[in-house]
Amino acid sequence: MMPLWICRLFGLFLFPALAFSQGTSIAFSQPANCAADQFYNTASLSCVSCGSSVGVMASPDRLRCTCAKDNAISDLGSPLVNCTQCAIDQVVSFNQRECLSCTGSTCTCGAQQIRAENLSSNTYSCADCGALSVPNDIGNQCILCQQTFISSNCVCPESNQSGGLCFPQAATVYSMASAWETLYLESSYQACRIYSNITACQLLTNLVILNVTSLASTPLNLYSLIYLSQNKFLPPLFYSTSSAQLWNTAPSPAQLSFTRNVQMQFKLLKYDIRGNFLGWQDLRGGTLQMCPNTQAVWDAAFRFGTFYRLSCTLQVADLLQNVPEPVFYELFVSYTSNGVSMVWPVPVWNAGFQGSTNPISSSSTNALRRFFLVDGISGRTGNISNPPAYVTVATSLNLSVYVTTGNTWDQSPFQLTVQYQKIPGISGTAQVSFAVTYSQSQGTYKRDTDIALGVLGSLASLYAILETSSWLRRSGQQYIGILVLIKFLAFLSGALANTFFLITLGTAIYWLIAFKGQTSVVHVTLPPAGGQIESDFIIYLSVAFALKTVELLHLLVSQLTVSMFLVDWEKPKEKITSNSQGKSNVSIWRTILVANEWNEMQTYRKISPIFQLFSVLLLLEVVGLKNITAKDLNLDLNPPSGTYLASWSIILRFGIAASMWLAVGIVQILFCVVIYERFFEDKMRQFTDLCSLSNVSIFILTHRCYGYYIHGRSVHGQADVSMETMLSNLKKEEENLCPLRGLEPSSDIQTFEVLLSDRVRDQYEKIMEPLLETPRGQRGSTESNPLMQQRIKTYYTINRFLSSFLDHVYKEIDYVVKDKLFLEHILDMEFQQPMEKSILYSDDSARFSRTLFYGNELVLLLFDTLLFCIIDLGTQNFVLATIITYVVQMLVEILRYQIGKKNVSRQTMVEENFLI
């Protein structure tokens, strides 16, 4: 028959399991929820009582039942046990399964005795340990006493004991804030110094490393005493060479050369806090990276050429749970020399020690050999089991890699900089990061950039002087005044803006090709972030944008202050009588048509801003060209998901963005000039044809004595004709049955550059002055507005003056037509100064478009490029840069159009309401 307790056991485990298997809901509980007399049944997932027997209690992990110390246990493997309480004169055996009775004369064993048990008879007796032996911790076996106690026959004065060791003289008691240092500092020092205990030497070295804020510490002073005695078992703490000679101990550049995207090989030497050697380990993934991530992202840190940074915020409590005791590391780079695997120790720089003098040797560097990540031990005070008052965390680890093109090093090829932070308590958070950066000597590059800046800057200044000289001649200025100085500064701004733009663009393209174009051994790396080269680049780019903005404002002001007049060649169809009171019966609609078309062309450009923005954004974001601006050697336009994406390089990002913007813009300009204007529509030539059909010429003055003339006089004499007559006239021109449209006989050139003499200009200003007076705000009929009447008379007067001037009526203020010299075309200036006669230079390239956006496409294109790039520089967002650039473009166009519209209306007598 089955015993009752077995039946109970069967029911206890079987039926809950059967009930649970039915899929019913149960109350959630875990072992920590169980009471002191309950255990956690892993079958029913609930807390079950251990029973009410005397001495029965739950185990510390609450997963089974156990007995009190003075009870024997009957355990068959079940969580439930039977406890038997021993008699008063009995003790429980070491295995806690039997109650033993004393058979000797002494039942209480002394400090040098052990308890000998006879389990067959359930008895015990006390036995003495021999010489040089002591009872073990349990008291059931005699063992040889610790080696340092043997010389004193296993008896050592308490004052000579420290850390479980016995020393020949009394140990020094150091008053340390850290309980760990108080416990182990003296013993590790004495054991290392006297006994050459290598584990104690390692422990002492670890104690030095734990003091992360200062080199002036008691552990380091004790370390120095042993170091000076040349103890060969004391591990190196600092590099023995000076900072200037640190890299001389490194392998040659040929041995540490790396190809594109190869994994750098590092090894770690590990020790625990007690100085025990934990072995070698290959540096992979998240060994030194505390931020959680995927293995692929972690491994990207050691892919050569990849600028890497991973940061996060972690709970200090979680860090202590993952690293309950500090682990100490020494970092080595692995390489091969003549087929032999070699390692070189990477210098470790504690940021808190910078500027301090090495206390061991003033000629040695402060570069360490050892570091740790998390320390929750040294912050414990009073007792080692107390919670730490602070936790020391390596919040920043930066592995610096130096790349050289020579055969020797002028800087350490690798170095690790560690920044420690003491965080109070364990409830706070820590901002931790791991980074890998690259650097290279940039002395030659800086020199070359300065030379280029000096040469191009000098050429820009010379160009500004030539432009100012040309402006002086065209404006008829005799003296240098404040206006001349302002013009010089405006011209200089434009020239220097182009200079700085060329330097920044050349810099960006150089780094793009030199860094990203490496296919074998890597010899070139990007300038470090925040370094002099990158800072100079940002300054140059910002200056280029600021100066280009000044140039654009100067362009807008110049275009909006242009003086122009529409010369109407149309003759009245009926003779003006005395009753007409000076009124003309010539239709004004032809003039309005020309003025309106001119107004529409003010913001016309060779490129489409919307197409420009869309195309550039498509190339950068959709095609993925922006991905090659990352600080790595990858050229993947669309990197697979899950891979590490390096941070953007400011220089490379500008290089790609500016190149794409210029490339799309140049393609649009070439398409417009070579294809669209040749085979579809040429706005400038069409406008000239419109002037001829309207029998209206345009006289434009951009300077006081310089401007442009568009000859629109109809070869047919009349333009206000019927459709049949107009078609007949066009047919005659097509069959060459009438004169050519040009200003001169037998010439078809209709556009000219005008250089007026002072006499012509003075006469023009004298007649034009009343026309520039604006009678706005006065409504009503023309007859009742004397100022308007005066302006109308002035309009007819200037129309007669200009038409007569162009017809060579005034011999004393006549003009000549000639071609510009080749050098005058190249320099865009005139070598001759008109004295008696004005000069009209033949212009078959429609240079009058310079008074419009159309003829200043380079300025606008460069401004848009710099605007787009400078916004991206601040936002690192191409989409946002596109939106803001579009808004600014629209504002500039609206401003140019509206102010230009008012200017056209004011100078052509055409009301704004008639201008679209």
Side-chain angles (χ1 to χ4, degrees):
M1 187 173 181
M2 186 179 296
L4 179 60
W5 69 272
I6 295 181
C7 293
R8 290 179 177 175
L9 181 63
F10 180 82
L12 179 65
F13 290 102
L14 177 60
F15 294 109
L18 290 175
F20 179 61
S21 65
Q22 299 303 315
T24 58
S25 299
I26 62 172
F28 172 75
S29 64
Q30 50 188 345
N33 300 130
C34 297
D37 60 347
Q38 292 180 324
F39 75 96
Y40 188 74
N41 188 345
T42 57
S44 63
L45 304 181
S46 61
C47 296
V48 179
S49 175
C50 289
S52 58
S53 301
V54 178
V56 178
M57 57 188 297
S59 62
D61 59 7
R62 297 293 194 272
L63 295 179
R64 59 183 293 108
C65 297
T66 186
C67 297
K69 292 183 178 181
D70 58 348
N71 283 255
I73 302 175
S74 177
D75 183 5
L76 298 177
S78 167
L80 294 175
V81 297
N82 288 329
C83 299
T84 302
Q85 188 172 11
C86 298
I88 297 177
D89 58 347
Q90 290 182 320
V91 296
V92 181
S93 61
F94 288 115
N95 60 15
Q96 207 175 355
R97 295 190 180 278
E98 303 291 342
C99 291
L100 306 180
S101 299
C102 179
T103 60
S105 59
T106 303
C107 295
T108 302
C109 300
Q112 294 297 318
Q113 292 181 320
I114 62 171
R115 190 175 74 191
E117 296 181 348
N118 187 346
L119 297 181
S120 59
S121 62
N122 291 338
T123 59
Y124 77 93
S125 62
C126 294
D128 296 328
C129 289
L132 304 182
S133 63
V134 293
N136 61 4
D137 293 337
I138 301 177
N140 65 343
Q141 186 180 1
C142 292
I143 60 174
L144 187 66
C145 64
Q146 208 277 337
Q147 187 68 34
T148 59
F149 286 78
I150 292 179
S151 59
S152 59
N153 294 324
C154 294
V155 178
C156 182
E158 187 175 351
S159 61
N160 288 27
Q161 295 185 39
S162 179
L165 301 178
C166 181
F167 299 103
Q169 65 272 2
T172 303
V173 179
Y174 293 97
S175 178
M176 307 297 293
S178 171
W180 183 263
E181 290 184 347
T182 302
L183 187 61
Y184 289 107
L185 178 59
E186 173 64 12
S187 60
S188 61
Y189 164 67
Q190 296 291 0
C192 178
R193 182 180 66 86
I194 300 174
Y195 302 125
S196 295
N197 187 312
I198 191 170
T199 303
C201 294
Q202 296 286 0
L203 173 56
L204 179 61
T205 304
N206 292 343
L207 290 172
V208 177
I209 298 297
L210 288 176
N211 286 269
V212 298
T213 58
S214 174
L215 284 173
S217 64
T218 302
L220 182 58
N221 294 336
L222 298 179
Y223 177 94
S224 303
L225 296 176
I226 303 178
Y227 176 84
L228 297 176
S229 65
Q230 298 183 350
N231 188 316
K232 63 181 180 179
F233 295 104
L234 184 69
L237 180 64
F238 296 97
Y239 271 83
S240 58
T241 56
S242 63
S243 299
Q245 300 297 324
L246 180 62
W247 52 84
N248 290 340
T249 63
S252 66
Q255 294 172 323
L256 289 181
S257 60
F258 297 94
T259 56
R260 181 190 187 96
N261 286 331
V262 71
Q263 289 290 124
M264 296 180 288
Q265 301 298 319
F266 292 95
K267 291 185 180 296
L268 287 172
L269 197 59
K270 298 169 58 178
Y271 300 89
D272 68 8
I273 191 173
R274 295 170 181 81
N276 296 312
F277 176 67
L278 301 180
W280 289 89
Q281 175 183 344
D282 291 333
L283 179 56
R284 289 287 184 272
T287 305
L288 299 182
Q289 302 183 56
M290 292 180 280
C291 291
N293 218 304
T294 63
Q295 189 68 33
V297 172
W298 282 335
D299 288 342
F302 308 107
R303 189 167 58 238
F304 191 79
T306 299
F307 286 73
Y308 180 90
R309 180 175 178 81
L310 189 64
S311 61
C312 61
T313 301
L314 300 175
Q315 295 291 330
V316 175
D318 294 338
L319 290 175
L320 286 181
Q321 185 176 1
N322 296 331
V323 188
E325 291 186 352
V327 177
F328 294 84
Y329 303 95
E330 292 186 17
L331 182 62
F332 295 80
V333 59
S334 178
Y335 66 99
T336 301
S337 177
N338 298 324
V340 179
S341 180
M342 307 286 289
V343 292
W344 180 71
V346 176
V348 178
W349 296 90
N350 183 342
F353 293 168
Q354 301 306 315
S356 302
T357 303
N358 191 321
I360 297 178
S361 174
S362 58
S363 63
S364 297
T365 176
N366 287 341
L368 299 168
R369 296 279 292 266
R370 193 170 296 189
F371 65 97
F372 65 91
L373 299 180
V374 181
D375 169 29
I377 297 296
S378 60
R380 302 174 188 266
T381 59
N383 193 293
I384 198 65
S385 61
N386 292 337
Y390 63 87
V391 177
T392 305
V393 180
T395 54
S396 173
L397 278 80
N398 185 15
L399 179 62
S400 301
V401 183
Y402 184 77
V403 180
T404 183
T405 57
N407 297 322
T408 59
W409 299 105
D410 53 3
Q411 189 173 323
S412 177
F414 297 93
Q415 68 179 37
L416 180 68
T417 302
V418 184
Q419 177 74 51
Y420 293 103
Q421 181 181 357
K422 291 184 177 181
I423 302 174
I426 61 174
S427 59
T429 60
Q431 180 72 31
V432 299
S433 66
F434 182 88
V436 180
T437 59
Y438 296 80
S439 61
Q440 189 176 27
S441 175
Q442 309 292 349
T444 303
Y445 169 81
K446 174 63 177 174
R447 181 198 62 192
D448 296 342
T449 304
D450 292 342
I451 293 175
L453 181 61
V455 172
L456 294 178
S458 300
L459 293 177
S461 301
L462 179 61
Y463 173 80
I465 292 174
L466 292 176
E467 283 287 310
T468 307
S469 174
S470 175
W471 181 86
L472 279 170
R473 186 176 290 105
R474 291 174 175 180
S475 299
Q477 294 280 348
Q478 300 296 329
Y479 304 101
I480 297 178
I482 186 65
L483 183 60
V484 177
L485 181 60
I486 293 176
K487 281 291 181 180
F488 171 74
L489 294 177
F491 293 134
L492 183 62
S493 296
L496 289 179
N498 296 335
T499 297
F500 283 107
F501 177 76
L502 287 176
I503 290 177
T504 52
L505 182 63
T507 298
I509 293 178
Y510 165 77
W511 288 113
L512 191 63
I513 296 174
F515 178 67
K516 289 287 187 175
Q518 300 176 96
T519 55
S520 55
V521 178
V522 178
H523 292 298
V524 178
T525 185
L526 291 173
Q532 184 178 10
I533 293 178
E534 188 172 282
S535 299
D536 290 346
F537 180 86
I538 295 174
I539 293 173
Y540 293 165
L541 182 59
S542 302
V543 170
F545 174 71
L547 294 178
K548 186 58 68 174
T549 302
V550 173
E551 183 185 15
L552 179 62
L553 293 176
H554 175 248
L555 173 65
L556 292 175
V557 172
S558 299
Q559 290 189 353
L560 296 176
T561 55
V562 166
S563 175
M564 63 179 299
F565 187 84
L566 274 60
V567 181
D568 191 351
W569 296 95
E570 194 78 3
K571 301 298 182 182
K573 294 181 180 180
E574 300 177 1
K575 186 176 180 181
I576 300 176
T577 64
S578 58
N579 296 330
S580 61
Q581 298 179 0
K583 299 179 182 178
S584 174
N585 58 4
V586 176
S587 173
I588 192 62
W589 288 108
R590 292 170 297 99
T591 304
I592 293 177
L593 177 65
V594 173
N596 187 70
E597 188 64 24
W598 177 267
N599 188 60
E600 289 182 355
M601 290 197 311
Q602 289 187 96
T603 57
Y604 177 74
R605 296 177 59 178
K606 295 184 179 72
I607 67 173
S608 169
I610 295 179
F611 179 80
Q612 177 82 13
L613 290 166
F614 176 79
S615 301
V616 172
L617 189 61
L618 179 70
L619 291 171
L620 294 175
E621 292 288 345
V622 180
V623 177
L625 288 177
K626 72 171 185 179
N627 291 316
I628 66 176
T629 66
K631 293 182 178 180
D632 55 32
L633 293 172
N634 291 326
L635 292 174
D636 296 333
L637 297 181
N638 295 288
S641 59
T643 58
Y644 174 74
L645 300 178
S647 59
W648 308 118
S649 167
I650 291 176
I651 297 177
L652 299 186
R653 198 171 173 91
F654 170 79
I656 287 293
S659 298
M660 291 303 100
W661 192 282
L662 292 177
V664 174
I666 291 173
V667 168
Q668 283 199 80
I669 292 174
L670 292 177
F671 174 80
C672 178
V673 174
V674 178
I675 298 177
Y676 186 78
E677 291 184 351
R678 179 172 296 184
F679 299 103
F680 296 96
E681 181 184 34
D682 187 342
K683 283 277 189 180
M684 300 300 111
R685 297 194 181 278
Q686 284 183 354
F687 180 74
T688 304
D689 292 338
L690 176 63
C691 291
S692 296
L693 292 176
S694 303
N695 202 15
V696 175
S697 297
I698 299 183
F699 198 79
I700 307 170
L701 290 179
T702 58
H703 301 67
R704 183 178 181 276
C705 299
Y706 175 83
Y708 305 96
Y709 172 65
I710 303 175
H711 185 63
R713 187 173 189 177
S714 175
V715 296
H716 308 290
Q718 293 282 338
D720 193 3
V721 296
S722 65
M723 182 178 294
E724 291 81 2
T725 305
M726 180 176 291
L727 293 176
S728 176
N729 292 339
L730 293 176
K731 184 68 174 178
K732 290 179 182 180
E733 289 190 48
E734 184 179 354
E735 296 175 355
N736 293 325
L737 300 179
C738 58
L740 298 178
R741 292 181 175 180
L743 175 64
E744 294 184 300
S746 302
S747 172
D748 58 354
I749 297 179
Q750 296 179 256
T751 55
F752 301 87
E753 293 181 69
V754 179
L755 193 61
L756 299 177
S757 64
D758 288 336
R759 295 179 63 185
V760 175
R761 178 64 194 191
D762 292 340
Q763 187 67 24
Y764 177 81
E765 289 178 348
K766 183 178 180 181
I767 302 174
M768 196 75 173
E769 183 177 356
L771 186 63
L772 299 180
E773 298 180 9
T774 307
R776 300 305 180 206
Q778 299 183 20
R779 300 296 179 184
S781 63
T782 304
E783 291 82 356
S784 62
N785 191 338
L787 187 55
M788 179 62 74
Q789 285 289 333
Q790 179 64 32
R791 295 182 73 244
I792 292 175
K793 291 179 181 180
T794 302
Y795 171 78
Y796 289 125
T797 302
I798 194 67
N799 192 84
R800 288 193 299 270
F801 170 73
L802 290 177
S803 59
S804 300
F805 169 73
L806 294 169
D807 279 341
H808 300 280
V809 173
Y810 307 116
K811 300 303 180 182
E812 67 278 8
I813 53 173
D814 204 0
Y815 69 90
V816 294
V817 178
K818 61 171 60 177
D819 294 328
K820 267 191 172 183
L821 300 176
F822 176 76
L823 191 58
E824 288 180 318
H825 270 295
I826 296 298
L827 297 178
D828 188 25
M829 61 186 305
E830 299 76 34
F831 296 155
Q832 296 181 357
Q833 187 72 20
M835 302 302 294
E836 297 296 331
K837 293 184 177 182
S838 301
I839 303 174
L840 268 65
Y841 294 101
S842 300
D843 174 28
D844 57 355
S845 57
R847 291 198 175 190
F848 68 87
S849 63
R850 293 180 179 179
T851 61
L852 310 169
F853 273 3
Y854 181 88
N856 295 275
E857 192 61 64
L858 179 61
V859 176
L860 297 172
L861 180 62
L862 293 183
F863 174 77
D864 292 343
T865 304
L866 288 168
L867 175 63
F868 180 82
C869 293
I870 206 73
I871 295 172
D872 177 70
L873 176 66
T875 63
Q876 297 287 286
N877 189 322
F878 285 129
V879 176
L880 182 59
T882 300
I883 296 174
I884 297 178
T885 302
Y886 175 75
V887 172
V888 173
Q889 286 178 337
M890 293 300 102
L891 291 176
V892 171
E893 287 191 9
I894 292 173
L895 176 66
R896 172 67 176 88
Y897 180 82
Q898 292 297 331
I899 300 180
K901 183 178 179 181
K902 293 181 181 295
N903 188 47
V904 171
S905 172
R906 184 170 61 91
Q907 302 198 49
T908 61
M909 286 293 294
V910 177
E911 290 290 335
E912 290 185 40
N913 297 334
F914 295 141
L915 298 177
I916 301 176

